[in-house]
Amino acid sequence: MSDPLKGYKGRARARLQSFGVRVWSDVVANNDAGSRFEGVILPRSETLDDLHVVIKLKTGYNVGLHVDRVTSMTEVGYKEAVYKIPEKEFPSRPELPRVTLLGTGGTIASRLDYRTGAVIPAFTPGELYGAVPELADLANLTTKKLFGVFSENMAKDNYVALAEAIGKEIESGVDGIVVGHGTDTMGHTAAILSFMVQDTPVPIVMVGSQRSSDRPSSDAALNLIHAVRSAGRGEIAEVQICMFGPTSDQYALLHRGTRCRKMHSSYRSTFRTVGGVPLAMVGEDFRYLVDDFRRRDRSRRVRIDTAYEDRTTILYYYPGMKPDLVDALVEKGYRGIVIAGTGLGHINKPLYPAIGRAIQQGVHVVMTVQTLWGYAQMYVYDTGRDLLDLGIVPLDNMLPETALMKLSWVLGHTDDHGEVLRMMRLPVNGETTEREPHNGYLILQGGLPETEEFVASHWK
Amino acid sequence: MNPHDTPLDYAAVGLISGLEVHQQLLTDKKLFCQCPAGRYTRTHDGTVLRHMRPTLSELGVYDGTALMEFKTKKHIVYLLNRANTCTYEMDDTPPFPVNQAAVDVAIEQCLMLGCDIVDEVHIARKQYLDGSIPTGFQRTAIVGVNGKLPFRGRILSITQVSVEEDSCREVSDKGHLIVWRTDRLGMPLIETVTGPDLRTPEEVAEAILLVGRVCRSTGHVRVGMGASRQDVNVSVRGGRRVEIKGVPKAGWAVGLVHGEGWRQVNLLRLCDELHRRGFRKPEDVRVECADVTALADGGPVPQLCAAQWQHLVQEQRRRLGFELGPGAFKVFAVRLPGLAGTLGWPTQPARTFADELAGRVRVIAGLDEPPILFHSEAWPAGAEALLQKLRAAARCGEQDGLVIVWGPERDVRTAADEIRLRYVDAADGVPNETRQPFADGSTDFERILPGPDRMYPDTDSPPTRVTRDRVERLRAALPEPPWQREARYTEVGVPVPVAHYLIRRGGARLVDRVVDEAGADLRFAAFFFGERCKGLRRAGVPVDHVRDDAWVELFAAFAARPVLRDAWETLVRHMAAQPGVPVRTVVAELDLDREPPGWRSHLGQWVAAAGREAGRRPPPSVARYQTGQVMHRLRGRVPVPAVLEAVAAAAEARS
């Protein structure tokens, strides 16, 4: 039995106990001003003070009453919130593709308990069908919950488990896989899956939401619809991210897992392909924007390779960085360091000896650019050439986060510097590209007349 | 028809009404972001397209109907202007901490309304699926409860006062596209909910004015168009609560409340009639549709002709999927078995039950082209032959009603089902609805009234603790309640309408300041701000540009030199034109700081000259003209009695 006064402590707890009431009690309370409150006692957040009791009034509003002002409180009923979502069987239609949704955490869909305000996640096919009935027109859906973590808590074990689960699903013959994932580190997971799951015969589509699914304006349902459509019917058999293109409810973009980044903390259209263009637009239909992707092919055999060394890090360079930071990483046993350098891939001179020592001790140091767009081109300036001489490996236009994921994966295979260098520089799936198209870098600058004209004539 | 031509004994029918008064607060910034509040724009520099998706529990049943409802949803477009909108209003950034200045004003308002202030303010989300708020919910929080206002010798109870963000302004609503402007969105307002204590339309209007005066007496709320709007809840015995939304003026409430009382009484009579005919349960009501597109085409009713429809679509530039629903143009004859005589059933003054059907069809099916529908009990004159043909085609008997709807096929099918659903509601009495008001006292369907089930906590915002210290600090600075002020003013002879105007428009604050600080006479000051300045404001003089301190200076100058009062208009015009200039400078610039030297010696010449200008008028008129001319030169400089005496003496001397 859980705590009947969940979240209440100190004075508030003592006061509630003295009234003989508990969380979920339907109460009538009076205060020292003669005001009367009728409603349900809600659990209180642990982080809040110990002076107030929260009541959800019959009107639906919540108010906090200072317990010292409450003169009486009587339980007139009790009804615990039911954290169970009604299910309806997901209809099966033989002509539709088979898609498996793997859950890693977060809520893709949810239902509100209005009485208590609780958000109840919907995950099983039956629950999802209730929340997003359009899915039944797109695929025969199976769901598997792998774990329930916020995306910032994803780490080695989760990556390995997820890659293995994907392998099993593919072996079982599904037509596509959707991975529900928090958006914060979706780019990281998409990158590592691109290395751990190679030669997939079917699409692997990562999806999440920027506005939680309990809101009428949420992007979750539309994202899920687009993702299931892409997994079931799309042609792109790669690890990809499927999220809003514009912030308007129009279409999603499919981004290659190794080239995609979350670029805004809260916008719906937060994911952007960096240094290239997205693979496709998905709405009611598909519009492919490139043709150099791996196509769906049931005869291809997937290779699951979950090697992973997590003693790796990103060193985000800043002016005045001290060399002892690098020494400390080496001392603490880090095996790989991705530097996000300035400009074409630079760091200050005082760091050189420390970098040299690190490499001497067998630490693998690679260079990416914190500008995100563009290549590490270290032979342009003397300083860059000096760094190359130290043994730093430039990674062209690989994104820093992708580089971290790849270095972790590579170091899971080998510690031989030559082999590390070879593997890091050999693209698995577009993490570096030989060419950068001129429309691969387009950040429209607001305020310019031509931009304003564009913005005024398109839904954002 | 004047609604008062339809008498109703309010006590006999058990009319009950309560208010939800919305009042914008005067703050620099919006409630949950740093955008400026009160900066309205008519243009936009960006647009967003969104849809509202009912959350699962609102779908209720997991069947095709829910899916269908979602598929006929509206496209919602928001017009954005960078001057007043940031990514918060777009629902692309979570809320920033609640504007504490707004919470202060809200607490102050609650105290004015006699409320108990809650100890911890919790932000809730109130769902709105009409698109008026891009998040799909309004952030709102109760600040005060259990308030009381003296009203007609009894108490008007204030159930609760909440602080909340204002919604978007509607720009247009055509077919399946609704367009909103986001300038107003997020501005802080308070919603004051009264108990259901009002019993007549007049009481409702009076209560609106009372709550308005209380809110405005602090000077911390916005005034002007749209700054205050009220929802009026009405029911009669046996009926249900209907919310008349956004009543813009108290005066409208009289006709609206009467009309709604009348409507509910008539709907209850209709309910009895339906029961008498055996319509009780939802399944008792059936409708049958016949496609009569070909039959009606080319006939005498232009709305039912395909060519006319195409012309309309082109003329209005309706875009497929947006202003125009999908599917071919269709005309449906909807047969209503056993329902003859109910279409023309009176509801509101000058309205019938067919208008109730039309309201639902307009909103839910998106068929908004007037007259929305035709029916067998008010058929267009000269087209009787067509009606007979349509009746035959629909196999419509004597006992049956017939409704004709037209438009894109999917919408027409939705319309036919809505007609059925409205009859299902009618067999259950008065449906809970939100209705939009019109100046003539009539209302039309806006949406189904949401219940308390649409509230849930805002997980993005922490609660705000309101300490008793904060409450007492705000209480100490409160102005006196308007009813006390009103008593004080009327006691010295200020008429009630002037007192109300001053309290409502914030002038009372100035009146009391100049009385306290410059020793002004209360009655004079009340007339000055409540009549004279009001007149100048109406004439376009920007009197509101004058700083409060300048008014005090002006009244101090009046006290020091009473003759200046005569030049009040000239002074105020100059003060308004140059708000930064000290009053004594204005007085000096206008040569009002002294008597003109030697005016008595010039007076004879002025009177003579005026006499010549006046020409051949009757003597009293000449004398008035002469006095006027001299007063023009001396007003505010020389006391009027002295001028009159001198003019009279000069005239005497000449005659």
Side-chain angles (χ1 to χ4, degrees):
Chain A
M1 180 66 196
S2 60
D3 181 4
L5 287 169
K6 188 172 161 44
Y8 289 95
K9 52 199 177 189
R11 267 154 84 181
R13 189 178 183 90
R15 192 86 177 135
L16 291 176
Q17 276 167 342
S18 77
F19 288 126
V21 296
R22 51 203 161 142
V23 166
W24 311 127
S25 287
D26 231 325
V27 296
V28 175
N30 290 285
N31 74 0
D32 58 6
S35 301
R36 181 183 163 93
F37 301 88
E38 293 180 41
V40 178
I41 297 181
L42 296 185
R44 187 159 169 88
S45 165
E46 302 276 357
T47 57
L48 298 175
D49 66 32
D50 66 345
L51 300 174
H52 299 85
V53 52
V54 188
I55 295 187
K56 184 173 181 71
L57 302 177
K58 291 213 180 323
T59 54
Y61 283 88
N62 292 359
V63 293
L65 309 182
H66 195 296
V67 288
D68 292 355
R69 289 189 62 211
V70 177
T71 51
S72 70
M73 195 178 270
T74 315
E75 181 176 294
V76 294
Y78 176 85
K79 193 182 171 202
E80 192 172 342
V82 181
Y83 290 100
K84 178 79 187 97
I85 198 159
E87 279 202 41
K88 187 164 178 177
E89 196 182 341
F90 196 95
S92 173
R93 285 159 60 179
E95 74 276 18
L96 292 180
R98 282 174 56 202
V99 170
T100 296
L101 169 64
L102 299 174
T104 66
T107 57
I108 301 160
S110 56
R111 171 180 169 268
L112 274 170
D113 183 300
Y114 283 95
R115 199 178 65 87
T116 61
V119 176
I120 307 163
F123 187 73
T124 68
E127 292 168 347
L128 279 177
Y129 175 54
V132 191
E134 296 94 320
L135 295 175
D137 295 336
L138 300 175
N140 291 312
L141 196 65
T142 309
T143 61
K144 288 183 181 155
K145 185 177 172 182
L146 298 181
F147 22 84
V149 295
F150 289 122
S151 80
E152 62 271 26
N153 297 329
M154 290 285 290
K156 178 179 178 177
D157 292 348
N158 307 107
Y159 298 143
V160 171
L162 179 54
E164 286 172 350
I166 289 172
K168 278 197 196 117
E169 289 305 315
I170 293 173
E171 291 299 329
S172 82
V174 296
D175 296 301
I177 293 167
V178 174
V179 179
H181 200 286
T183 56
D184 278 12
T185 67
M186 190 186 285
H188 297 73
T189 304
I192 192 63
L193 288 180
S194 300
F195 306 124
M196 288 183 168
V197 182
Q198 293 189 27
D199 294 337
T200 173
V202 298
I204 300 168
V205 185
M206 303 200 59
V207 71
S209 72
Q210 283 288 85
R211 291 285 88 73
S212 58
S213 51
D214 53 279
R215 309 165 183 235
S217 63
S218 173
D219 55 336
L222 200 50
N223 277 331
L224 190 58
I225 290 166
H226 289 144
V228 170
R229 177 174 285 133
S230 302
R233 294 265 188 232
E235 269 305 311
I236 305 168
E238 295 183 14
V239 176
Q240 57 214 287
I241 283 178
C242 174
M243 291 285 287
F244 265 39
T247 181
S248 288
D249 291 350
Q250 283 183 279
Y251 55 86
L253 293 176
L254 296 178
H255 304 276
R256 182 163 277 153
T258 54
R259 291 231 61 85
C260 186
R261 204 167 186 283
K262 186 175 183 180
M263 299 302 284
H264 194 280
S265 62
S266 55
Y267 247 74
R268 288 164 171 75
S269 50
T270 180
F271 281 94
R272 283 295 177 260
T273 291
V274 175
V277 298
L279 301 169
M281 298 162 72
V282 194
E284 295 285 320
D285 234 316
F286 296 94
R287 179 166 173 182
Y288 296 96
L289 303 176
V290 296
D291 57 12
D292 65 337
F293 54 80
R294 299 290 292 272
R295 278 170 174 72
R296 188 188 277 280
D297 178 0
R298 291 301 291 268
S299 68
R300 200 159 54 226
R301 292 298 304 271
V302 67
R303 288 186 295 123
I304 305 297
D305 178 353
T306 59
Y308 196 86
E309 163 61 74
D310 62 1
R311 305 291 299 169
T312 51
T313 187
I314 296 183
L315 202 59
Y316 194 96
Y317 175 75
Y318 49 85
M321 181 180 272
K322 302 284 187 292
D324 57 1
L325 201 55
V326 179
D327 292 336
L329 289 173
V330 176
E331 192 182 311
K332 289 292 177 190
Y334 276 80
R335 304 299 308 138
I337 299 174
V338 175
I339 300 177
T342 59
L344 293 161
H346 302 134
I347 52 174
N348 68 7
K349 204 143 195 147
L351 286 183
Y352 291 10
I355 298 284
R357 283 193 295 277
I359 292 170
Q360 289 282 310
Q361 293 187 45
V363 177
H364 308 277
V365 183
V366 296
M367 180 64 78
T368 60
V369 293
Q370 54 184 249
T371 57
L372 303 180
W373 274 271
Y375 289 74
Q377 288 170 309
M378 300 173 64
Y379 39 83
V380 175
Y381 295 103
D382 282 349
T383 49
R385 287 194 285 271
D386 291 345
L387 290 170
L388 290 174
D389 288 345
L390 286 173
I392 287 186
V393 180
L395 291 184
D396 296 346
N397 62 346
M398 200 184 303
L399 291 167
E401 296 84 359
T402 301
L404 177 73
M405 290 293 136
K406 186 167 184 188
L407 186 58
S408 303
W409 179 72
V410 167
L411 293 181
H413 291 87
T414 177
D415 204 28
D416 176 77
H417 188 68
E419 181 61 6
V420 170
L421 191 142
R422 188 192 69 79
M423 287 178 76
M424 284 307 290
R425 293 192 55 85
L426 179 70
V428 172
N429 193 27
E431 64 269 30
T432 56
T433 61
E434 291 181 331
R435 303 170 65 231
E436 181 185 21
H438 63 76
N439 61 352
Y441 172 64
L442 274 183
I443 304 178
L444 292 181
Q445 188 74 66
L448 303 183
E450 60 269 31
T451 307
E452 295 305 320
E453 194 181 326
F454 171 81
V455 170
S457 57
H458 291 76
W459 281 312
K460 281 172 69 65
Chain B
M1 192 199 301
N2 183 335
H4 293 282
D5 296 344
T6 53
L8 192 63
D9 181 339
Y10 305 117
V13 301
L15 183 123
I16 293 179
S17 179
L19 300 175
E20 293 166 25
V21 182
H22 301 93
Q23 171 66 60
Q24 289 180 343
L25 307 181
L26 187 57
T27 57
D28 292 338
K29 294 179 176 176
K30 292 185 177 179
L31 192 55
F32 289 105
C33 67
Q34 310 305 314
C35 284
R39 189 177 298 173
Y40 292 104
T41 43
R42 290 169 180 221
T43 58
H44 61 277
D45 45 36
T47 50
V48 178
L49 171 72
R50 295 271 167 75
H51 306 99
M52 291 299 157
R53 191 183 180 86
T55 48
L56 181 51
S57 65
E58 284 203 336
L59 290 171
V61 286
Y62 303 115
D63 63 12
T65 315
L67 184 55
M68 165 80 194
E69 204 161 63
F70 173 60
K71 280 182 173 166
T72 59
K73 72 192 176 221
K74 283 225 170 185
H75 294 290
I76 302 163
V77 167
Y78 297 103
L79 307 182
L80 316 170
N81 188 310
R82 286 189 300 275
N84 47 40
T85 302
C86 69
T87 51
Y88 169 69
E89 287 93 330
M90 290 165 63
D91 189 34
D92 266 320
T93 287
F96 297 91
V98 62
N99 180 345
Q100 291 298 332
V103 175
D104 270 352
V105 179
I107 293 172
E108 186 184 68
Q109 291 288 310
C110 288
L111 293 172
M112 289 301 294
L113 292 158
C115 288
D116 179 15
I117 309 299
V118 305
D119 305 301
E120 206 176 49
V121 173
H122 286 252
I123 314 282
R125 301 172 175 176
K126 188 192 274 185
Q127 285 204 348
Y128 284 95
L129 297 178
D130 60 357
S132 58
I133 305 192
T135 46
F137 53 76
Q138 178 186 42
R139 290 192 162 89
T140 172
I142 290 190
V143 177
V145 295
N146 188 26
K148 295 176 183 66
L149 289 180
F151 180 73
R152 291 196 169 194
R154 57 180 210 262
I155 293 293
L156 175 62
S157 62
I158 305 295
T159 311
Q160 65 175 54
V161 179
S162 50
V163 64
E164 54 195 37
E165 51 187 352
D166 210 339
S167 56
C168 292
R169 294 194 290 150
E170 185 182 313
V171 176
S172 65
D173 182 4
K174 275 266 167 215
H176 297 270
L177 174 67
I178 188 162
V179 180
W180 301 93
R181 202 178 287 290
T182 55
D183 49 6
R184 193 180 71 185
L185 175 67
M187 284 172 62
L189 60 81
I190 52 163
E191 183 194 64
T192 302
V193 181
T194 76
D197 302 340
L198 305 165
R199 297 288 178 267
T200 67
E202 289 73 21
E203 283 194 358
V204 173
E206 199 177 316
I208 290 172
L209 291 173
L210 171 66
V211 174
R213 277 198 304 280
V214 173
C215 288
R216 288 168 186 203
S217 60
T218 62
H220 294 158
V221 300
R222 290 184 187 274
V223 294
M225 275 294 284
S228 132
R229 313 182 293 275
Q230 32 273 321
D231 303 343
V232 179
N233 290 301
V234 183
S235 68
V236 301
R237 191 179 304 109
R240 286 199 185 89
R241 180 166 78 92
V242 163
E243 179 185 273
I244 306 171
K245 187 140 192 84
V247 177
K249 287 180 180 172
W252 285 31
V254 179
L256 288 167
V257 173
H258 172 87
E260 180 56 28
W262 216 73
R263 175 176 171 269
Q264 294 204 10
V265 168
N266 282 315
L267 288 176
L268 292 172
R269 284 179 46 230
L270 175 62
C271 178
D272 292 342
E273 172 64 17
L274 292 174
H275 288 186
R276 199 182 60 73
R277 296 190 193 184
F279 296 97
R280 287 177 181 276
K281 297 189 297 295
E283 55 270 29
D284 296 336
V285 181
R286 291 177 302 116
V287 300
E288 286 169 15
C289 292
D291 182 343
V292 293
T293 315
L295 188 61
D297 202 21
V301 182
Q303 285 91 341
L304 306 184
C305 302
Q308 166 78 9
W309 174 259
Q310 292 311 331
H311 175 72
L312 200 84
V313 166
Q314 276 165 22
E315 191 179 65
Q316 298 181 353
R317 297 185 180 177
R318 290 191 176 222
R319 294 165 294 174
L320 184 64
F322 286 94
E323 295 92 343
L324 181 67
F329 175 76
K330 290 285 178 193
V331 181
F332 272 23
V334 184
R335 182 170 83 94
L336 310 169
L339 290 167
T342 58
L343 291 161
W345 192 273
T347 49
Q348 307 174 61
R351 301 284 176 109
T352 69
F353 190 70
D355 293 302
E356 302 275 328
L357 303 179
R360 292 281 178 99
V361 168
R362 177 178 56 80
V363 173
I364 294 171
L367 294 173
D368 47 30
E369 199 55 42
I372 298 173
L373 50 79
F374 291 112
H375 64 90
S376 50
E377 287 156 37
W379 192 252
E384 289 77 5
L386 175 63
L387 176 60
Q388 292 316 315
K389 279 195 237 168
L390 293 170
R391 288 193 81 110
R395 292 191 289 177
C396 195
E398 291 272 309
Q399 308 301 315
D400 304 337
L402 185 71
V403 177
I404 307 295
V405 285
W406 62 94
E409 180 165 357
R410 199 177 74 184
D411 295 344
V412 172
R413 290 190 184 279
T414 307
D417 200 48
E418 257 334 285
I419 289 169
R420 180 182 65 82
L421 290 171
R422 183 63 189 85
Y423 269 104
V424 169
D425 284 348
D428 189 38
V430 180
N432 281 127
E433 283 179 1
T434 294
R435 300 184 64 83
Q436 61 177 114
F438 299 103
D440 67 353
S442 67
T443 59
D444 199 357
F445 176 74
E446 190 166 293
R447 62 167 181 265
I448 304 290
L449 187 65
D453 282 355
R454 59 173 170 154
M455 304 278 304
Y456 61 109
D458 181 22
T459 45
D460 296 328
S461 307
T464 299
R465 185 182 172 191
V466 181
T467 63
R468 292 301 109 179
D469 284 353
R470 183 174 182 181
V471 173
E472 292 315 314
R473 175 174 59 77
L474 291 163
R475 194 194 302 278
L478 287 188
E480 70 186 316
W483 50 91
Q484 279 179 22
R485 204 173 223 162
E486 183 181 328
R488 195 158 50 80
Y489 284 14
T490 50
E491 202 170 33
V492 299
V494 178
V496 171
V498 175
H500 282 181
Y501 171 80
L502 286 167
I503 293 166
R504 209 170 60 238
R505 299 301 301 255
R509 194 174 41 84
L510 289 174
V511 170
D512 291 349
R513 249 197 98 178
V514 300
V515 169
D516 288 348
E517 296 177 32
D521 173 63
L522 174 56
R523 186 157 176 267
F524 173 75
F527 274 108
F528 182 85
F529 289 110
E531 287 288 331
R532 292 173 166 177
C533 285
K534 177 180 167 187
L536 283 186
R537 186 185 290 114
R538 282 192 181 156
V541 179
V543 288
D544 299 314
H545 290 182
V546 178
R547 290 170 301 113
D548 290 5
D549 289 344
W551 292 119
V552 177
E553 280 179 53
L554 178 68
F555 275 79
F558 285 168
R561 201 172 133 66
V563 67
L564 271 181
R565 288 181 177 195
D566 300 337
W568 71 271
E569 186 176 338
T570 313
L571 281 166
V572 173
R573 282 179 182 275
H574 279 81
M575 287 164 66
Q578 35 190 342
V581 179
V583 171
R584 60 171 191 285
T585 310
V586 175
V587 171
E589 278 173 1
L590 293 168
D591 280 332
L592 286 168
D593 51 349
R594 61 197 166 121
E595 287 194 0
W599 65 273
R600 286 181 188 277
S601 56
H602 292 115
L603 194 85
Q605 285 171 272
W606 296 340
V607 170
R612 286 191 296 277
E613 282 169 28
R616 292 181 171 281
R617 300 189 193 183
S621 171
V622 171
R624 275 201 301 279
Y625 184 74
Q626 287 171 319
T627 308
Q629 288 299 300
V630 174
M631 279 308 304
H632 181 67
R633 291 171 186 272
L634 296 177
R635 182 174 292 113
R637 299 180 174 89
V638 180
V640 175
V643 176
L644 294 180
E645 197 181 307
V647 171
E652 184 88 2
R654 282 180 55 82
S655 62

